[in-house]
Amino acid sequence: MRRAVSESEPDAFPAELDAVFDALESAAIIAEGSRVLLSNDAAIALRLVWEKHLTSKELSLLAEESRARGQRISRELAIPWGDATRAVHAVAVPIPSSKRVVLLVTDIEESRRVEAVRRDFIANVSHELKTPVGAMLLLAEAIRDARDDPETLERFTERLHQEATRLSRLVKELLDLSRLQGGEPLPEMSEVAVTEIVSEALEPLKVRAESSGIQIDVSVSDELRVLGDRRQLVTAITNLVENAIAYSPSGSHVGIGAHLRVASEGRTVEISVSDSGIGIAPADQERIFERFYRVDAGRSRATGGTGLGLAIVKHIVHNHGGRISLWSKPGVGSTFTLHLPAPGT
Ligand code: ADP
């Protein structure tokens, strides 16, 4: 608690008020004009007070308006924050028979940001769902009209099946993502053999690799173990290998390797998936982990991608207290590496 009462009026505020200011999570200030008479730590943290004065012109004006009108006023303001501003909710209440005003200020910048991200996400999801649903509607109509033409009927039915598969995959990945993003408890961590995770991930992908003309080489020692949730780790490897297959030319190799790294910060297991495919330009390397971000939406769609695969992988490694790194060069290839805790760390 910081008291800014001048020496000439040491007992201007009772100790109870100090305690109330201390208990408040919002920034609390008693001001007279732009001069601060009393403030709590939250007001300092929000950088509202500097050398016993209010730093924000808008806040001073709000205090002045409330005093002049003799009324409580609540308003959203933008306070100075470095080179930018920060959104806050401020309430000003005049103290009767004085020139003083009580200010309560709450930081709403983070909730604003979360709200914006959520709005964006809903808009993206709706857009992504609209594409297959629209296609299915058109195909269903076309099928109805092609009743007497078996060849066309078969073609449209096949496409309807593809769109339904895309839709069901999108819904499944959205559910996976929302489960991983919070709400659900952290995974049950146990010791899992890396070879088991890798073979479980590869089993359903063998046919796809073969039909794309891609050979998968695995180099993982049998003893290597990782601390984690088996199901989630299988999903992470699956998504990385699916991408390696999808973004590589026929005739190329995809490599999966793993080893234990012992460093002063602890022991980590590094599992990497490498391809010699199209690669990713430096400007896209950060962004591909965002939900729905694709370098080439057309290509992603053609391979049945949803744009959610890497966002899911990122959440899985974070939930494990690990991280993901990427090396990539356009035209040369990419290596995604999962850094995960090793047992006994
Ligand atoms: P998608 O379902 O589109 O593959 P992801 O989230 O898995 O979505 O990947 C996002 C984007 O990152 C892809 O659309 C693609 O542009 C790029 N990408 C991912 N993996 C690779 C890779 N191995 N090689 C080249 N580009 C990749």
Side-chain angles (χ1 to χ4, degrees):
M1 160 66 71
R2 177 170 305 214
R3 297 195 63 165
V5 185
S6 69
E7 279 85 55
S8 59
E9 35 182 352
D11 300 318
F13 300 105
E16 285 84 350
L17 189 61
D18 269 359
V20 170
F21 264 42
D22 237 355
L24 286 171
E25 279 184 14
S26 302
I29 295 167
I30 293 179
E32 193 173 306
S34 69
R35 201 160 67 91
V36 172
L37 306 177
L38 185 69
S39 63
N40 63 0
D41 288 344
I44 308 298
L46 253 184
R47 308 180 193 167
L48 295 172
V49 182
W50 179 249
E51 296 190 336
K52 299 181 184 175
H53 279 82
L54 292 173
T55 54
S56 157
K57 190 142 192 263
E58 285 199 49
L59 196 59
S60 299
L61 289 173
L62 180 79
E64 179 47 32
E65 188 181 332
S66 149
R67 194 195 61 78
R69 286 166 50 185
Q71 264 180 15
R72 174 189 196 277
I73 304 177
S74 94
R75 191 171 292 161
E76 281 183 15
L77 304 175
I79 57 162
W81 195 261
D83 294 335
T85 57
R86 199 169 178 91
V88 296
H89 180 257
V91 179
V93 180
I95 300 176
S97 331
S98 82
K99 291 181 180 165
R100 295 173 181 180
V101 177
V102 176
L103 293 163
L104 280 184
V105 184
T106 318
D107 187 1
I108 55 169
E109 182 72 23
E110 182 60 15
S111 58
R112 275 284 182 76
R113 200 187 59 77
V114 169
E115 215 175 276
V117 168
R118 190 168 298 153
R119 253 201 320 269
D120 245 31
F121 182 58
I122 291 173
N124 278 335
V125 169
S126 316
H127 178 76
E128 297 290 335
L129 290 174
K130 227 171 81 187
T131 314
V133 169
M136 284 167 74
L137 261 176
L138 287 176
L139 285 163
E141 279 168 24
I143 286 171
R144 195 178 50 199
D145 296 342
R147 263 189 301 258
D148 307 325
D149 179 353
E151 230 173 76
T152 314
L153 202 59
E154 195 183 326
R155 196 155 41 89
F156 285 163
T157 312
E158 177 54 32
R159 289 208 29 218
L160 184 65
H161 186 257
Q162 278 173 10
E163 293 298 338
T165 308
R166 179 203 302 287
L167 187 63
S168 110
R169 182 179 169 153
L170 188 59
V171 171
K172 182 192 166 294
E173 293 198 344
L174 280 169
L175 287 174
D176 281 352
L177 198 58
S178 85
R179 221 173 283 133
L180 288 166
Q181 275 183 159
E184 299 231 337
L186 278 177
E188 280 290 315
M189 304 274 249
S190 60
E191 274 191 31
V192 203
V194 178
T195 43
E196 279 178 30
I197 302 169
V198 171
S199 29
E200 206 174 314
L202 289 184
E203 195 49 46
L205 295 177
K206 277 185 183 151
V207 178
R208 192 180 311 178
E210 232 165 73
S211 65
S212 308
I214 285 165
Q215 191 179 317
I216 301 183
D217 308 318
V218 179
S219 154
V220 180
S221 87
D222 283 342
E223 303 84 60
L224 193 59
R225 285 167 180 277
V226 66
L227 198 59
D229 176 284
R230 182 193 180 100
R231 203 172 49 88
Q232 289 196 7
L233 293 177
V234 169
T235 303
I237 306 286
T238 304
N239 289 359
L240 293 181
V241 178
E242 273 183 339
N243 281 346
I245 297 172
Y247 300 104
S248 295
S250 172
S252 63
H253 287 234
V254 165
I256 303 175
H259 64 267
L260 179 71
R261 176 176 295 276
V262 182
S264 53
E265 315 86 63
R267 289 144 41 93
T268 40
V269 172
E270 298 183 347
I271 309 174
S272 54
V273 176
S274 308
D275 64 61
S276 34
I278 60 173
I280 303 153
D284 293 313
Q285 291 184 12
E286 278 285 317
R287 302 213 58 196
I288 55 169
F289 295 97
E290 293 171 17
R291 299 171 297 201
F292 297 121
Y293 186 84
R294 300 140 163 147
V295 177
D296 174 351
R299 177 163 185 157
S300 158
R301 232 168 241 134
T303 54
T306 59
L308 293 176
L310 289 178
I312 290 175
V313 178
K314 195 177 94 180
H315 278 289
I316 290 176
V317 288
H318 281 182
N319 284 358
H320 280 76
R323 64 185 178 90
I324 182 164
S325 62
L326 165 64
W327 175 91
S328 188
K329 203 167 178 187
V332 178
S334 313
T335 298
F336 288 84
T337 306
L338 307 180
H339 307 255
L340 296 161
T345 45

